[in-house]
Amino acid sequence: MERLTKITTSGFDNKKVDTEDYSVYELLQMVLGKLAAYEDTNLMPDEVEELQGRIEHLQKFYDYFCELYGTGLDVANWHLNGDLEPFDNFFDSAEESE
Protein backbone atom coordinates (compact mmCIF):
# COMPACT_ATOMS: atom_id res chain seq x y z
CA MET A 1 0.00 0.00 0.00
CA GLU A 2 1.18 3.50 -0.78
CA ARG A 3 2.54 5.65 2.03
CA LEU A 4 1.41 9.23 2.59
CA THR A 5 3.47 12.14 3.86
CA LYS A 6 2.18 14.04 6.84
CA ILE A 7 3.49 17.61 7.17
CA THR A 8 3.44 19.08 10.66
CA THR A 9 4.21 22.63 11.67
CA SER A 10 5.12 23.30 15.27
CA GLY A 11 6.58 25.87 17.56
CA PHE A 12 4.90 28.95 18.93
CA ASP A 13 5.15 30.66 15.54
CA ASN A 14 4.65 27.49 13.39
CA LYS A 15 8.06 27.90 11.75
CA LYS A 16 9.33 24.38 12.45
CA VAL A 17 8.23 21.91 9.76
CA ASP A 18 8.50 18.13 10.10
CA THR A 19 7.49 15.46 7.60
CA GLU A 20 6.77 11.81 8.29
CA ASP A 21 5.56 8.97 6.08
CA TYR A 22 2.56 6.92 7.21
CA SER A 23 0.28 4.30 5.80
CA VAL A 24 -3.43 5.13 5.59
CA TYR A 25 -4.02 2.74 8.50
CA GLU A 26 -1.40 4.46 10.67
CA LEU A 27 -2.91 7.90 9.91
CA LEU A 28 -6.38 6.62 10.76
CA GLN A 29 -5.13 5.27 14.09
CA MET A 30 -3.51 8.64 14.86
CA VAL A 31 -6.69 10.53 14.03
CA LEU A 32 -8.82 8.19 16.14
CA GLY A 33 -6.38 8.58 19.04
CA LYS A 34 -6.56 12.36 18.82
CA LEU A 35 -10.36 12.29 18.66
CA ALA A 36 -10.44 10.15 21.79
CA ALA A 37 -8.15 12.63 23.55
CA TYR A 38 -10.44 15.52 22.60
CA GLU A 39 -13.46 13.61 23.88
CA ASP A 40 -11.68 12.93 27.20
CA THR A 41 -10.89 16.62 27.76
CA ASN A 42 -14.16 18.11 26.44
CA LEU A 43 -12.04 20.64 24.56
CA MET A 44 -12.38 21.58 20.92
CA PRO A 45 -9.39 20.85 18.65
CA ASP A 46 -8.58 24.56 18.27
CA GLU A 47 -8.52 24.94 22.07
CA VAL A 48 -6.11 22.02 22.36
CA GLU A 49 -3.88 23.54 19.67
CA GLU A 50 -3.87 26.89 21.50
CA LEU A 51 -2.94 25.20 24.78
CA GLN A 52 -0.20 23.27 23.01
CA GLY A 53 1.24 26.55 21.71
CA ARG A 54 1.17 28.03 25.20
CA ILE A 55 2.89 24.97 26.65
CA GLU A 56 5.65 25.19 24.03
CA HIS A 57 6.11 28.90 24.82
CA LEU A 58 6.34 28.19 28.56
CA GLN A 59 8.80 25.36 27.90
CA LYS A 60 11.07 27.78 26.00
CA PHE A 61 10.82 30.23 28.92
CA TYR A 62 11.75 27.49 31.41
CA ASP A 63 14.60 26.22 29.22
CA TYR A 64 16.03 29.75 29.05
CA PHE A 65 16.24 29.97 32.84
CA CYS A 66 17.60 26.42 33.08
CA GLU A 67 20.54 27.56 30.98
CA LEU A 68 21.31 30.25 33.58
CA TYR A 69 21.46 27.67 36.37
CA GLY A 70 24.98 27.06 37.65
CA THR A 71 26.48 30.14 35.99
CA GLY A 72 27.09 32.01 39.25
CA LEU A 73 24.45 34.69 38.80
CA ASP A 74 23.03 36.52 41.82
CA VAL A 75 19.52 37.88 42.33
CA ALA A 76 19.43 41.28 44.04
CA ASN A 77 16.85 42.16 46.66
CA TRP A 78 14.99 38.84 46.44
CA HIS A 79 14.11 39.00 50.14
CA LEU A 80 13.50 42.77 49.96
CA ASN A 81 16.48 43.38 52.23
CA GLY A 82 18.98 44.48 49.60
CA ASP A 83 21.11 41.35 49.89
CA LEU A 84 22.28 39.21 47.00
CA GLU A 85 21.06 35.62 46.73
CA PRO A 86 22.48 33.01 44.33
CA PHE A 87 20.26 32.56 41.29
CA ASP A 88 20.41 28.79 41.81
CA ASN A 89 18.59 29.18 45.18
CA PHE A 90 16.00 31.41 43.50
CA PHE A 91 15.49 28.86 40.72
CA ASP A 92 15.33 25.89 43.12
CA SER A 93 12.69 27.59 45.28
CA ALA A 94 10.59 28.34 42.19
CA GLU A 95 10.74 24.70 41.10
CA GLU A 96 9.76 23.49 44.57
CA SER A 97 6.69 25.74 44.80
CA GLU A 98 3.35 24.40 43.64
Side-chain angles (χ1 to χ4, degrees):
M1 179 175 264
E2 188 175 327
R3 297 189 65 80
L4 304 171
T5 300
K6 176 185 169 212
I7 300 172
T8 306
T9 59
S10 61
F12 190 68
D13 51 6
N14 288 327
K15 289 188 178 180
K16 183 178 176 186
V17 176
D18 293 315
T19 60
E20 297 177 62
D21 290 334
Y22 294 95
S23 70
V24 172
Y25 176 78
E26 290 169 328
L27 283 174
L28 178 61
Q29 293 303 312
M30 248 183 355
V31 168
L32 291 175
K34 287 186 177 189
L35 286 174
Y38 292 138
E39 289 174 1
D40 290 344
T41 62
N42 293 322
L43 295 172
M44 297 300 292
D46 59 334
E47 293 172 308
V48 172
E49 296 297 324
E50 180 183 342
L51 290 173
Q52 191 173 17
R54 288 182 182 181
I55 289 169
E56 290 173 5
H57 180 71
L58 290 171
Q59 185 64 51
K60 287 180 185 178
F61 183 83
Y62 176 78
D63 292 345
Y64 173 82
F65 281 97
C66 281
E67 290 179 17
L68 297 175
Y69 194 88
T71 61
L73 294 175
D74 288 323
V75 177
N77 207 24
W78 177 23
H79 297 288
L80 301 176
N81 61 7
D83 292 340
L84 295 176
E85 181 79 22
F87 172 79
D88 294 358
N89 293 353
F90 177 79
F91 188 85
D92 289 339
S93 69
E95 279 199 317
E96 292 168 3
S97 68
E98 292 185 21

